[in-house]
Amino acid sequence: MDKPLTANLDINNPQNLTAYQSTGGYKGFQNALKISPSDVQQQVKDAELKGRGGAGFNTGMKWSFVPMGEDAPKHKYLICNADEMEPGTFKDRMLMEGSPHLLVEGMMIAAYAIGADVAYIFLRGEYKLCAQRLQAAIDQAKEAGLLGDNIQGTGYSLKLYLHTSAGRYICGEETALINALEGKRANPRAKPPFPQVVGLFGQPTIVNNCETLCNLPGILRQGVAWYKGLSESVDTGSKIYGISGRVKKAGLWELPMGVTARQILDLAGGMQDGLTLRGWLPGGASTDFLMPEHLDIPMEYDAIGKAGSRLGTGGIIALDDQHCPVGMILNLLKFFAQESCGWCTPCRDGLPWAVEILTRIEMGQGSQDDIDTLQKLCGFMWIGKTFCALAPGAVEPLRSGMKYFADDFQQHIDHKGCPHQH
């Protein structure tokens, strides 16, 4: 199959502008400039591109909520959410390091589609190499007249800036990201109003994930039918899938939407010798566990949802039979507790409480009441009870782990210690 995201990927020597253009680079943007912004929106809507940041919302539909026309606000913003910090997720880093012009072109297409005159790449601060390469790509695009005022005589102007984050996982939540970009504390905002209407500096704003934006050049260059033809699923296009854990070859692959987790595990060479797969998180650290019997379910949004989890970022984390699931869940919860912004009580107090209880259980000091308390905490931090999705996502591995690995939790309590510690 065609691989629009990784066909020209080169981590060691990312393409310069001339090399990128020689493979069709910026033709998608040129095609976009020949039609109206609303036509670009319609193409992306027809392509049924779903957001690759985890939520899976239709990208063109999200854009359609931005005010357009003569009565729309004069200034609108586009933001690339490149604050990739979720454990088990590293796809955006590969794209930005290996094909920075692809993201720059994708942002130019998206900005034109919503009538934005300023765009920002909000980049995880630790991604130093990404920053160098993205800034070089932006500078090259400016020199070529692809960015700036009155681009190629079309009357459309766009300024694109790289902003490196000061840190914290919460900055990946789009309204917290907007606050951080404004120089405020990175707390989520209450919605409504939604960013599409009142976002950065009070103006209409779209926040899209890095991988989502990287899909746009191919759609505008090759067309809707071509993009849909990449898929083996009701979800369109291709996807960067990844796997980490104790497999033989952890990594990333661009595959058709709808491949199975078993196919991804096979590409990784299977589990390391002497190990058996015990369970897996399908889309990064904030998704529910699935079991080996779920390996043949298509890696698509609805199918993974029906199995009881979320596709999320498509970054699988594999748990082997020699590793303690309680210890793994504790490790993940420590991360989320540390990264809570503290804005709402369930998340600020609930996550450290869960970490305290899990630590006791893992150390062999837990009681039966601790299991009941953890179940209640999962309810207190669930969807609709917090300002944003950090806490609900954090308790997904805990909630599902207590379901699938109930015997492990019970053994920790009954035998006063972790059965996996030798």
Side-chain angles (χ1 to χ4, degrees):
M1 69 163 238
D2 289 342
K3 295 186 176 181
L5 298 172
T6 59
N8 301 304
L9 194 80
D10 190 337
I11 296 294
N12 296 318
N13 298 294
Q15 293 172 310
N16 59 31
L17 178 62
T18 305
Y20 181 66
Q21 287 177 315
S22 71
T23 61
Y26 290 105
K27 284 185 180 175
F29 179 57
Q30 304 282 3
N31 290 342
L33 290 176
K34 294 173 185 174
I35 58 179
S36 68
S38 61
D39 286 340
V40 176
Q41 286 193 26
Q42 191 61 49
Q43 274 199 38
V44 175
K45 198 181 293 184
D46 291 345
E48 298 177 33
L49 168 63
K50 290 185 176 180
R52 303 298 201 237
F57 191 76
N58 184 294
T59 303
M61 186 73 70
K62 185 175 184 177
W63 291 355
S64 70
F65 301 138
V66 174
M68 300 292 287
E70 294 181 4
D71 296 332
K74 290 184 178 178
H75 294 297
K76 288 183 268 188
Y77 296 98
L78 171 75
I79 303 171
C80 169
N81 184 349
D83 193 56
E84 183 178 57
M85 284 184 68
E86 178 116 330
T89 300
F90 42 98
K91 60 185 177 64
D92 295 343
R93 176 181 175 179
M94 180 183 74
L95 289 169
M96 291 184 286
E97 287 184 1
S99 192
H101 276 287
L102 184 66
L103 175 58
V104 171
E105 182 182 6
M107 292 196 68
M108 291 157 67
I109 293 167
Y112 176 75
I114 63 169
D117 57 340
V118 178
Y120 292 94
I121 301 173
F122 190 94
L123 180 69
R124 178 180 175 180
E126 291 83 356
Y127 280 6
K128 305 288 188 185
L129 187 58
C130 293
Q132 293 172 17
R133 293 180 173 180
L134 286 167
Q135 190 59 58
I138 292 168
D139 293 342
Q140 289 167 10
K142 281 181 187 174
E143 289 170 15
L146 293 165
L147 280 170
D149 296 326
N150 189 25
I151 297 169
Q152 299 186 339
T154 60
Y156 176 64
S157 301
L158 177 65
K159 294 178 180 177
L160 174 56
Y161 300 103
L162 176 65
H163 177 93
T164 51
S165 169
R168 306 302 288 189
Y169 172 72
I170 191 64
C171 293
E173 197 281 332
E174 67 175 19
T175 59
L177 183 158
I178 289 169
N179 273 340
L181 199 51
E182 290 181 356
K184 299 172 183 173
R185 179 175 168 176
N187 293 332
R189 297 179 179 180
K191 294 183 281 191
F194 290 90
Q196 293 94 317
V197 180
V198 181
L200 186 65
F201 305 120
Q203 301 298 304
T205 303
I206 283 290
V207 182
N208 284 140
N209 170 260
C210 170
E211 187 189 352
T212 308
L213 293 162
C214 286
N215 277 271
L216 299 176
I219 295 172
L220 269 293
R221 187 172 70 245
Q222 304 276 69
V224 171
W226 166 85
Y227 185 75
K228 286 186 168 183
L230 296 174
S231 172
E232 298 176 356
S233 161
V234 292
D235 295 325
T236 59
S238 60
K239 171 93 183 74
I240 304 288
Y241 292 103
I243 189 166
S244 58
R246 294 167 78 178
V247 294
K248 288 182 178 174
K249 184 184 175 184
L252 295 161
W253 298 269
E254 181 179 2
L255 300 167
M257 283 294 293
V259 298
T260 66
R262 190 180 301 279
Q263 290 173 281
I264 299 168
L265 182 60
D266 288 344
L267 286 169
M271 302 302 291
Q272 293 176 10
D273 292 341
L275 300 178
T276 303
L277 182 69
R278 183 97 192 274
W280 52 288
L281 301 172
S286 63
T287 53
D288 290 89
F289 277 100
L290 293 177
M291 294 292 101
E293 56 263 32
H294 296 123
L295 280 173
D296 294 314
I297 293 172
M299 288 285 282
E300 59 186 33
Y301 293 96
D302 287 347
I304 295 293
K306 287 175 183 174
S309 188
R310 293 184 301 111
L311 180 62
T313 60
I316 295 171
I317 305 176
L319 169 67
D320 63 86
D321 60 338
Q322 300 295 313
H323 199 101
C324 175
V326 177
M328 176 182 176
I329 295 165
L330 170 59
N331 190 40
L332 296 178
L333 265 289
K334 281 181 178 177
F335 170 82
F336 290 118
Q338 176 179 294
E339 296 299 330
S340 171
C341 73
W343 190 237
C344 61
T345 305
C347 186
R348 180 188 65 235
D349 295 343
L351 289 175
W353 191 3
V355 167
E356 181 185 323
I357 294 171
L358 283 167
T359 302
R360 280 206 308 271
I361 293 173
E362 178 69 355
M363 298 297 290
Q365 300 164 2
S367 68
Q368 202 62 48
D369 288 344
D370 286 334
I371 303 294
D372 298 334
T373 303
L374 284 174
Q375 296 281 11
K376 290 176 183 176
L377 282 173
C378 288
F380 293 151
M381 291 186 277
W382 196 236
I383 297 165
K385 298 181 180 178
T386 58
F387 257 95
C388 78
L390 191 152
V395 299
E396 283 188 37
L398 173 60
R399 183 186 66 163
S400 57
M402 287 193 292
K403 170 186 170 185
Y404 288 119
F405 310 119
D407 289 346
D408 292 82
F409 279 85
Q410 198 62 49
Q411 285 181 46
H412 279 72
I413 292 167
D414 292 345
H415 302 293
K416 304 296 181 186
C418 176
H420 292 268
Q421 290 178 352
H422 302 293

